[in-house]
């Protein structure tokens, strides 16, 4: 943590080649020491029980109820440093994260004027498969929606127990056949974007402190993912 915090005070150092030496250990860093260093960092900030991210064996995602935004900026810096120094880290972010990162870069470079990327149920599967199935099942309901799901409206409960409108001014609107697709889209958008927007923006700020926008803008989401975790194609 001290290393990353010090780097943030001297951001011009972030784009210099990284040499790692563990205290009390001798030897030159030919890549193995740096790799171990990043594995320790990612385990501490991203894959640990610090409660910044929700993790399982298949994916890592942002926790919406975490207020320590600098922790997410440090996590983004760690990921960016790993990519910049050509070090693969086994961090199973879903592909939607890389799509979102590139979309934010497109906004900043003027390539797109859309404020948010489009969210699909397939992307929801990557983050929360059970929720994605529940949303898909709503679309399959025929007839009176309120008879099947009484009281279902355009609200969602936030981590603090408060009711939040999925669409401005429409929180009390009941879900029916004519608006169920709009409800599912709004719910998915809230889950993947709105609920974790501050955490994600902080993560991107850390990432872009180490990686140049012009270079990232040339990549596809799959290519950016492969730079972090390594390509699975041989």
């Amino acid at each position: 943590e001290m290393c990353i915090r010090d780097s943030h005070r001297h951001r011009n150092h972030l784009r210099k080649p990284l040499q790692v030496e563990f205290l009390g250990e001798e030897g030159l860093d030919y890549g193995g020491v740096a790799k171990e260093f990043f594995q320790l960092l990612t385990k501490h900030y991203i894959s640990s029980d610090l409660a910044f991210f929700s993790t399982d064996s298949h994916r890592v995602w942002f926790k919406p109820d975490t207020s320590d935004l600098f922790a997410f900026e440090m996590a983004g810096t760690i990921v960016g440093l790993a990519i910049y120094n050509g070090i693969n880290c086994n961090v199973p972010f879903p592909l939607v994260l890389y799509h979102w990162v590139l979309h934010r870069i497109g906004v900043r470079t003027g390539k797109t004027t859309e404020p948010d990327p489009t969210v699909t149920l397939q992307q929801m599967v990557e983050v929360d498969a059970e929720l994605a199935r529940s949303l898909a099942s709503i679309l399959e309901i025929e007839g009176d929606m309120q008879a099947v799901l009484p009281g279902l409206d355009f609200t969602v409960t936030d981590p603090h127990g408060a009711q939040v409108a999925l669409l401005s001014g429409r929180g009390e609107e009941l879900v029916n056949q004519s608006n169920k697709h709009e409800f599912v889209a709004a719910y998915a958008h809230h889950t993947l974007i709105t609920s974790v927007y501050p955490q994600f923006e902080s993560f991107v700020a850390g990432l872009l402190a180490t990686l140049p926008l012009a270079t990232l803008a040339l990549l596809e989401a799959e290519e950016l993912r492969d730079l972090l975790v390594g390509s699975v194609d041989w």
Side-chain angles (χ1 to χ4, degrees), residues 1-233:
E1 180 175 341
M2 183 174 62
C3 295
I4 302 301
R5 288 184 181 272
D6 183 65
S7 295
H8 273 265
R9 289 193 291 269
H10 307 282
R11 287 179 177 269
N12 59 311
H13 294 172
L14 291 173
R15 296 182 184 178
K16 294 180 179 180
L18 182 70
Q19 292 290 322
V20 177
E21 179 180 337
F22 288 110
L23 190 65
E25 295 185 15
E26 297 182 0
L28 298 175
D29 179 12
Y30 294 108
V33 179
K35 184 175 178 65
E36 182 182 357
F37 174 70
F38 279 105
Q39 287 175 340
L40 291 172
L41 280 177
T42 55
K43 182 178 180 180
H44 179 68
Y45 273 102
I46 300 174
S47 304
S48 72
D49 295 325
L50 289 179
F52 300 139
F53 295 85
S54 57
T55 63
D56 58 32
S57 59
H58 303 293
R59 64 105 178 100
V60 171
W61 194 245
F62 306 93
K63 279 195 173 181
D65 56 343
T66 308
S67 59
D68 185 2
L69 297 182
F70 187 69
F72 292 96
E73 187 173 350
M74 284 195 289
T77 301
I78 292 167
V79 169
L81 282 172
I83 293 174
Y84 188 80
N85 287 275
I87 297 171
N88 297 143
C89 295
N90 186 25
V91 182
F93 286 119
L95 187 60
V96 64
L97 171 72
Y98 302 99
H99 280 291
W100 193 4
V101 167
L102 295 179
H103 181 274
R104 298 307 297 159
I105 291 171
V107 170
R108 297 187 185 199
T109 57
K111 291 181 63 177
T112 179
T113 57
E114 293 295 327
D116 296 323
T118 301
V119 174
T120 67
L121 282 182
Q122 184 56 46
Q123 291 171 328
M124 276 294 307
V125 170
E126 297 181 68
V127 176
D128 190 330
E130 184 177 352
L131 177 57
R133 285 192 294 269
S134 296
L135 292 175
S137 68
I138 291 175
L139 298 178
E140 297 172 356
I141 297 174
E142 299 179 354
D144 186 355
M145 298 284 296
Q146 291 298 314
V148 181
L149 298 170
L152 182 65
D153 58 18
F154 277 71
T155 61
V156 64
T157 304
D158 72 11
H160 306 290
Q163 293 294 304
V164 178
L166 293 173
L167 296 174
S168 180
R170 296 176 58 182
E172 297 182 0
E173 181 178 331
L174 296 178
V175 179
N176 53 46
Q177 286 296 328
S178 64
N179 63 18
K180 66 180 183 181
H181 287 274
E182 195 173 10
F183 167 79
V184 167
Y187 203 111
H189 185 278
H190 175 84
T191 302
L192 285 187
I193 296 179
T194 308
S195 67
V196 295
Y197 191 84
Q199 292 82 2
F200 175 78
E201 283 293 290
S202 297
F203 180 87
V204 170
L207 184 72
L208 297 186
T210 61
L211 299 173
L213 282 175
T215 300
L216 289 177
L218 300 174
L219 300 176
E220 298 292 334
E222 293 81 359
E223 294 171 325
L224 182 57
R225 176 196 60 193
D226 291 348
L227 286 176
L228 178 62
V229 300
S231 176
V232 295
D233 297 324

